[in-house]
Amino acid sequence: MTSVPVTPVSTLAAVLWIAAVSLPALVVLALLVAPVRRRRSLVTVAPIAVVPAGLLALLGPSAGSVDVPWLLLGTSLTVTPLGRPLLLLAVVLYAGALAAVAAGGPDRRHRLTGFLLVAFVGNAGVFVAADTVTFYLSFALMSVAAFGCVVHTRSESARRAGRVYLALTMLSELAVLCGLVLVVNAGGRAVVDAPAAVAASEHRPAILALLLIGFGIKAGTVPLHVWLPLAHPAAPPPASAVLSGAMVKAGLFGWLTFLPLGEVALPGWGTTLVVLALVGAFAALPLGVLHADPKVPLAYSTISQMGFLAVLVGIALTQPELADVCALAAVVYAVHHGVAKGGLFLGVSVWQRHGAGRARPLVLAVLTVLALAVAGAPFGSGSVAKYAAKEAVAPASLGGVELVDLLPWVGTVSTLLLARAGWVLLRGRTGPARRVDVSLVSWCLLTVAGTVATWALADRWSEVVTVPGLDLVTLWDATWPILIGLVIAAVVGTLAERDVLPPRLAHPDGSLVPAGDLAVPEERIAGRAARVLVTVGAGRFAAVGARLVDAVGPLRRSTVIDDAERGLSRWAISGAAVVTVAALAVLLVVIA
């Protein structure tokens, strides 16, 4: 893929670069040390902390590049054509999520605000990192902070989701770290040099496998998706909005940044990714509609939509001549999906707050607009994104089937999943009527801005992406998948109300296909394996364990050791610090 040269940073841009990192960090620090009575004010102003990053996104390449040679192994930041729209997406989503928390979100709002701000710094860092080390550390920071968002409610389901998320995140971090070490070793220390370095590396198969797995976990690609349907129901709606809207896009961006797209044809790898992506895009339907929590079908809708995006990456791997248009189409689609799906997750909390008041018709209208956008209805952001994607993959086929004939059916899947989520949400409970607040206003603005931004991105920011026309053929192509989905939903709903369907299908409660699907048998297998290992190894290691206890006995009585242990235990991020130091040590060895 071609790169765009960057210019030195101006004084204004330098101030924005510094503020983009320091302002969120200062708010987090203030939340840690401020008295309880002051935290509410800090939570209220927290959305302002993401404004400098938004201004950098609007400036685009004119913001220049920042080089800090004394930081880490040399930190470089820049705004690229691919990273710019995703940076703006992150700013909009995190601002909306922070506003929702400030307007009366879950308990311990200051903690959720802090985790969201830390995750934002990492998420934005992924989109602007110009060197591989900064990219990885930003990716790791985002992933670790997201754990705090997932387990925020401290419920049993949240703890289970956190365990699954953390296990897969560690696997993702390990795969990405090993893959990027090989990328740097091949000459890809600068992000812009990474695709060519991977293409020429003698370790190319290993790099591809590691990066596809590592970033695929974050992107929710089947069969690495199981954390998504567990994390979304457990996390508060503002956290779900950024998880689905912005964080999963970091995995997509990792693919677009480090895979050798446009450098070499890799039909085997590309076809495998396309097949897995299509399986996820369509298998999400039966897995998602059998739940009574509206956020579960929304989560599976994200898995389906990310499968759509992964198809573009697979085609770019298969046919290098389509890499540029596929990458830009993927970014347009990612922006559309991020805003629309993030708006739907935020809409869950907005509905719970305003669904019983005067704003009920407005909330219903905005939810409908967002759902139609995700499904790809005409005039919405989804129609632009899906048109761009279909144009990008027009020359491609799979097993003799044209992808342009297959991908529209993903819109039918989305329609059915969203219909199920909407039905459950409407039948659920709402709180007492409330006045219009900042969460409702920001949510409505998010919907309008997302549609406008997607059209502008496709029409002005992307040179090789075209927007759909208003002719009858184009409008019908965007409409028929949704109509089929609505008809199927109406038929199934009617049969369910008349008790024609089996009870577990007519009124699903999640027991038939538990959220997390593949995670359930995986947890059972892991539990049985652990019990076997403990049983077999208990006798063998008992003697060794006794000797170790005797050996460390004197140390345990040491005041210095006890003080050090207590000090480390107060740092929740100590584990992440160890991983970071180890990663830097490995990179130093490789580069040296």
Short mmCIF file of all heavy atoms in Angstrom, two decimals, residues 5-30:
data_model
loop_
_atom_site.label_atom_id
_atom_site.label_comp_id
_atom_site.label_asym_id
_atom_site.label_seq_id
_atom_site.Cartn_x
_atom_site.Cartn_y
_atom_site.Cartn_z
N PRO A 5 3.52 11.14 2.62
CA PRO A 5 4.55 11.82 3.40
C PRO A 5 3.93 12.76 4.42
O PRO A 5 2.85 13.32 4.21
CB PRO A 5 5.35 12.58 2.33
CG PRO A 5 4.40 12.75 1.19
CD PRO A 5 3.55 11.53 1.19
N VAL A 6 4.61 12.93 5.53
CA VAL A 6 4.13 13.81 6.59
C VAL A 6 5.05 15.01 6.71
O VAL A 6 6.21 14.98 6.30
CB VAL A 6 4.06 13.07 7.94
CG1 VAL A 6 3.03 11.99 7.88
CG2 VAL A 6 5.41 12.48 8.30
N THR A 7 4.57 16.10 7.26
CA THR A 7 5.32 17.34 7.40
C THR A 7 5.66 17.58 8.85
O THR A 7 5.02 17.05 9.74
CB THR A 7 4.47 18.51 6.87
OG1 THR A 7 3.25 18.55 7.61
CG2 THR A 7 4.16 18.33 5.40
N PRO A 8 6.68 18.41 9.08
CA PRO A 8 7.03 18.71 10.47
C PRO A 8 5.86 19.37 11.19
O PRO A 8 5.02 20.05 10.59
CB PRO A 8 8.22 19.67 10.32
CG PRO A 8 8.78 19.37 8.97
CD PRO A 8 7.61 19.00 8.12
N VAL A 9 5.83 19.23 12.49
CA VAL A 9 4.71 19.71 13.27
C VAL A 9 4.81 21.21 13.49
O VAL A 9 5.89 21.77 13.69
CB VAL A 9 4.67 18.96 14.63
CG1 VAL A 9 5.88 19.28 15.47
CG2 VAL A 9 3.40 19.30 15.37
N SER A 10 3.66 21.92 13.42
CA SER A 10 3.60 23.35 13.68
C SER A 10 3.42 23.58 15.17
O SER A 10 3.22 22.65 15.96
CB SER A 10 2.44 23.96 12.91
OG SER A 10 1.21 23.43 13.37
N THR A 11 3.48 24.86 15.57
CA THR A 11 3.33 25.18 16.99
C THR A 11 1.96 24.79 17.51
O THR A 11 1.82 24.19 18.59
CB THR A 11 3.56 26.69 17.21
OG1 THR A 11 4.85 27.04 16.72
CG2 THR A 11 3.46 27.03 18.69
N LEU A 12 0.90 25.13 16.75
CA LEU A 12 -0.45 24.77 17.16
C LEU A 12 -0.61 23.26 17.26
O LEU A 12 -1.18 22.73 18.22
CB LEU A 12 -1.46 25.34 16.17
CG LEU A 12 -2.92 24.91 16.37
CD1 LEU A 12 -3.41 25.37 17.75
CD2 LEU A 12 -3.81 25.46 15.26
N ALA A 13 -0.10 22.55 16.24
CA ALA A 13 -0.21 21.10 16.24
C ALA A 13 0.56 20.50 17.40
O ALA A 13 0.13 19.52 18.01
CB ALA A 13 0.27 20.53 14.92
N ALA A 14 1.72 21.09 17.73
CA ALA A 14 2.52 20.58 18.85
C ALA A 14 1.74 20.68 20.15
O ALA A 14 1.75 19.76 20.98
CB ALA A 14 3.83 21.35 18.95
N VAL A 15 1.05 21.81 20.33
CA VAL A 15 0.24 21.98 21.54
C VAL A 15 -0.87 20.93 21.57
O VAL A 15 -1.17 20.34 22.63
CB VAL A 15 -0.34 23.40 21.58
CG1 VAL A 15 -1.34 23.54 22.74
CG2 VAL A 15 0.77 24.43 21.72
N LEU A 16 -1.50 20.68 20.42
CA LEU A 16 -2.57 19.69 20.36
C LEU A 16 -2.05 18.29 20.64
O LEU A 16 -2.71 17.50 21.34
CB LEU A 16 -3.25 19.74 18.99
CG LEU A 16 -4.08 20.99 18.69
CD1 LEU A 16 -4.64 20.94 17.27
CD2 LEU A 16 -5.22 21.14 19.69
N TRP A 17 -0.87 17.95 20.10
CA TRP A 17 -0.30 16.63 20.35
C TRP A 17 -0.04 16.43 21.85
O TRP A 17 -0.34 15.38 22.42
CB TRP A 17 1.01 16.46 19.58
CG TRP A 17 0.85 16.10 18.14
CD1 TRP A 17 1.15 16.86 17.06
CD2 TRP A 17 0.35 14.86 17.62
NE1 TRP A 17 0.87 16.20 15.90
CE2 TRP A 17 0.39 14.96 16.21
CE3 TRP A 17 -0.11 13.69 18.19
CZ2 TRP A 17 -0.03 13.92 15.37
CZ3 TRP A 17 -0.53 12.66 17.36
CH2 TRP A 17 -0.48 12.78 15.98
N ILE A 18 0.53 17.46 22.48
CA ILE A 18 0.81 17.34 23.92
C ILE A 18 -0.48 17.24 24.71
O ILE A 18 -0.62 16.41 25.62
CB ILE A 18 1.64 18.55 24.39
CG1 ILE A 18 3.02 18.54 23.71
CG2 ILE A 18 1.80 18.55 25.91
CD1 ILE A 18 3.84 19.79 23.97
N ALA A 19 -1.46 18.07 24.36
CA ALA A 19 -2.73 18.07 25.08
C ALA A 19 -3.50 16.77 24.87
O ALA A 19 -4.21 16.32 25.78
CB ALA A 19 -3.58 19.26 24.65
N ALA A 20 -3.38 16.17 23.69
CA ALA A 20 -4.13 14.94 23.40
C ALA A 20 -3.74 13.81 24.35
O ALA A 20 -4.57 12.94 24.66
CB ALA A 20 -3.88 14.52 21.95
N VAL A 21 -2.50 13.82 24.80
CA VAL A 21 -2.04 12.78 25.73
C VAL A 21 -2.15 13.24 27.18
O VAL A 21 -2.61 12.51 28.06
CB VAL A 21 -0.59 12.36 25.41
CG1 VAL A 21 -0.10 11.33 26.41
CG2 VAL A 21 -0.50 11.82 23.99
N SER A 22 -1.73 14.47 27.44
CA SER A 22 -1.62 14.94 28.82
C SER A 22 -2.98 15.25 29.44
O SER A 22 -3.18 15.03 30.65
CB SER A 22 -0.73 16.18 28.88
OG SER A 22 -1.28 17.24 28.11
N LEU A 23 -3.93 15.78 28.67
CA LEU A 23 -5.21 16.16 29.26
C LEU A 23 -5.98 14.95 29.81
O LEU A 23 -6.45 14.98 30.96
CB LEU A 23 -6.05 16.92 28.22
CG LEU A 23 -7.25 17.71 28.76
CD1 LEU A 23 -6.83 18.66 29.86
CD2 LEU A 23 -7.94 18.47 27.64
N PRO A 24 -6.14 13.85 29.04
CA PRO A 24 -6.77 12.67 29.65
C PRO A 24 -5.99 12.14 30.85
O PRO A 24 -6.59 11.72 31.86
CB PRO A 24 -6.80 11.64 28.51
CG PRO A 24 -6.73 12.45 27.26
CD PRO A 24 -5.87 13.63 27.61
N ALA A 25 -4.66 12.17 30.77
CA ALA A 25 -3.85 11.67 31.88
C ALA A 25 -4.04 12.53 33.13
O ALA A 25 -4.12 12.01 34.25
CB ALA A 25 -2.38 11.64 31.48
N LEU A 26 -4.13 13.84 32.95
CA LEU A 26 -4.33 14.73 34.10
C LEU A 26 -5.70 14.51 34.74
O LEU A 26 -5.83 14.55 35.98
CB LEU A 26 -4.19 16.19 33.65
CG LEU A 26 -2.76 16.65 33.31
CD1 LEU A 26 -2.78 18.06 32.74
CD2 LEU A 26 -1.87 16.58 34.55
N VAL A 27 -6.73 14.28 33.91
CA VAL A 27 -8.06 14.02 34.47
C VAL A 27 -8.05 12.71 35.26
O VAL A 27 -8.63 12.63 36.35
CB VAL A 27 -9.12 13.98 33.35
CG1 VAL A 27 -10.48 13.59 33.91
CG2 VAL A 27 -9.22 15.34 32.67
N VAL A 28 -7.40 11.69 34.72
CA VAL A 28 -7.31 10.41 35.45
C VAL A 28 -6.57 10.60 36.77
O VAL A 28 -7.00 10.09 37.82
CB VAL A 28 -6.61 9.35 34.58
CG1 VAL A 28 -6.36 8.08 35.39
CG2 VAL A 28 -7.45 9.03 33.35
N LEU A 29 -5.47 11.34 36.74
CA LEU A 29 -4.72 11.59 37.97
C LEU A 29 -5.57 12.36 38.98
O LEU A 29 -5.56 12.05 40.18
CB LEU A 29 -3.44 12.37 37.65
CG LEU A 29 -2.53 12.72 38.83
CD1 LEU A 29 -2.04 11.44 39.51
CD2 LEU A 29 -1.36 13.57 38.38
N ALA A 30 -6.31 13.34 38.49
CA ALA A 30 -7.18 14.10 39.38
C ALA A 30 -8.27 13.23 40.00
O ALA A 30 -8.61 13.38 41.17
CB ALA A 30 -7.80 15.28 38.62
#
